[in-house]
Amino acid sequence: MSIYVSGSLAFDRIMTFPGNFQDHILMDKLHMINVSFMVDGMDERRGGCAGNIAYSLALLEEKPVIVAAAGRDFDSYAQTLAAHGLPLDGIRRADEVFTALCYITTDLNSNQITGFYPGAMTLPSLYDFPALDPAKDIAIVSPGNLDDMRRLPRFYREKGVPYIFDPGQQLPVLTAEELLDAIEGSLACITNDYELNMICKATGRSEDEIAAGTRWLVTTLGAEGAQVRGNRGENVRIAPVPVEKVLDPTGAGDAHRAGLIKGLVSGLAMPEAARLGSVSASFALEKLGTQEHAITPALFRQRYEAVFGPLPQGIFAA
């Protein structure tokens, strides 16, 4: 059995400005703005949706194949992935560009100025899936290269591989036809509630009509948990898993996808798998960065059982 995770790989460079942007911007000179902010801290972290999902799956004792593209500066990232036992053969390496890079500067009021360089994310993965087994494999198409996001749903359908479509931040650049094509015939479409509204607006379809095109429509609701709707009338609310302190919501959605996939490959139905997603997301919320959290089977079981009751058998090897 293989898990295929397509999407972005990126570095995040996060900087802190010890002041307020508004104090350094002349509102009557916005047509000729020229400002410089001296930051007092910078942290580089690994990120990207495919990397984040694969990282959390590795913590949950799975070894997914990452289907993505990376640039000439990817060696340190690759070493970290390999240290977690993740295969690298699905990652296209392009020496002519850098890996996608996000520069984020945050001021004291939590205002942010962000610059994003897509780099290798503009390149399709070109992975040929040499060991594809439609009877056993599962895939997720997460935000990343647009050619991959358009092509892979059709590819998985043709091969009979169940797949999850997670359009995320690429929603604004996918057409209504592309969104509907990717959703139609999928095992699941996963979004947050805002993204689901965007899909409905872009396609002119209602939530019920979107749900009818996929086996499961999973909508994350932040601190309120998640909603799981099936095209056979199922409608289940999934409770959130509380944490003592939320430090960073970034990456929690990717951790949720990883937990949900872990549940599916362990033989759980979607509503039960989504419970594992809520638990997995709780670990990401407690850390700054998207790949800084750790998960142990004992702590995962403790959090699960505090909210949902006994953890299903066979989730962890021991």
Side-chain angles (χ1 to χ4, degrees):
M1 181 210 71
S2 295
I3 302 169
Y4 296 99
V5 180
S6 66
S8 59
L9 292 165
F11 289 106
D12 296 329
R13 288 184 177 169
I14 302 169
M15 294 165 283
T16 54
F17 173 60
N20 298 313
F21 293 145
Q22 65 183 23
D23 296 334
H24 300 269
I25 297 175
L26 300 176
M27 299 304 295
D28 60 339
K29 300 292 183 181
L30 292 180
H31 63 288
M32 52 182 297
I33 189 168
N34 184 1
V35 295
S36 177
F37 300 107
M38 183 69 72
V39 300
D40 63 357
M42 194 279 284
D43 189 15
E44 182 174 271
R45 301 186 182 125
R46 301 175 304 279
C49 294
N52 296 340
I53 294 169
Y55 172 82
S56 286
L57 276 167
L59 298 181
L60 296 171
E61 301 181 349
E62 299 296 337
K63 300 295 180 281
V65 177
I66 300 171
V67 181
R72 60 176 178 263
D73 56 343
F74 192 67
D75 286 346
S76 63
Y77 199 150
Q79 291 168 7
T80 301
L81 295 175
H84 283 87
L86 292 166
L88 304 177
D89 56 301
I91 301 174
R92 175 184 178 181
R93 298 291 295 271
D95 290 336
E96 69 273 19
V97 292
F98 291 102
T99 304
L101 181 61
C102 186
Y103 286 93
I104 305 169
T105 304
T106 306
D107 72 4
L108 292 178
N109 284 330
S110 296
N111 297 305
Q112 291 185 325
I113 296 176
T114 300
F116 184 73
Y117 163 73
M121 201 179 82
T122 61
L123 304 173
S125 62
L126 301 182
Y127 187 58
D128 59 1
F129 298 88
L132 196 66
D133 186 345
K136 298 180 180 179
D137 296 342
I138 189 170
I140 181 169
V141 180
S142 70
N145 174 265
L146 288 172
D147 289 339
D148 284 344
M149 294 186 72
R150 297 174 180 122
R151 175 181 62 88
L152 289 175
R154 293 194 296 270
F155 171 80
Y156 291 135
R157 282 198 305 269
E158 292 169 359
K159 297 297 183 181
V161 175
Y163 69 93
I164 296 166
F165 183 58
D166 172 18
Q169 53 265 53
Q170 293 289 49
L171 268 171
V173 290
L174 291 168
T175 67
E177 292 74 17
E178 289 165 346
L179 288 169
L180 291 173
D181 179 71
I183 293 168
E184 186 68 33
S186 62
L187 172 64
C189 176
I190 302 182
T191 68
N192 60 36
D193 52 344
Y194 180 81
E195 291 163 350
L196 178 56
N197 288 333
M198 288 182 64
I199 291 175
C200 292
K201 181 178 180 181
T203 61
R205 304 288 179 90
S206 68
E207 291 187 12
D208 289 342
E209 289 172 323
I210 297 297
T214 181
R215 177 65 186 92
W216 297 99
L217 183 64
V218 181
T219 311
T220 57
L221 304 170
E224 297 181 9
Q227 194 78 28
V228 177
R229 284 172 282 183
N231 63 6
R232 298 169 190 168
E234 306 94 336
N235 195 339
V236 182
R237 189 63 170 261
I238 307 299
V241 174
V243 298
E244 288 188 9
K245 185 177 182 180
V246 175
L247 287 184
D248 185 3
T250 309
D254 295 329
H256 176 276
R257 276 63 165 167
L260 182 146
I261 293 169
K262 173 65 177 180
L264 294 176
V265 301
S266 299
L268 301 182
M270 184 64 74
E272 288 72 32
R275 293 176 176 177
L276 271 65
S278 283
V279 178
S280 180
S282 72
F283 289 93
L285 289 169
E286 296 176 313
K287 297 291 184 180
L288 293 171
T290 59
Q291 297 181 31
E292 307 301 324
H293 55 289
I295 298 175
T296 65
L299 188 53
F300 191 96
R301 177 182 297 274
Q302 177 184 329
R303 292 192 181 187
Y304 183 98
E305 296 186 345
V307 178
F308 302 114
L311 182 70
Q313 296 292 322
I315 301 301
F316 295 103

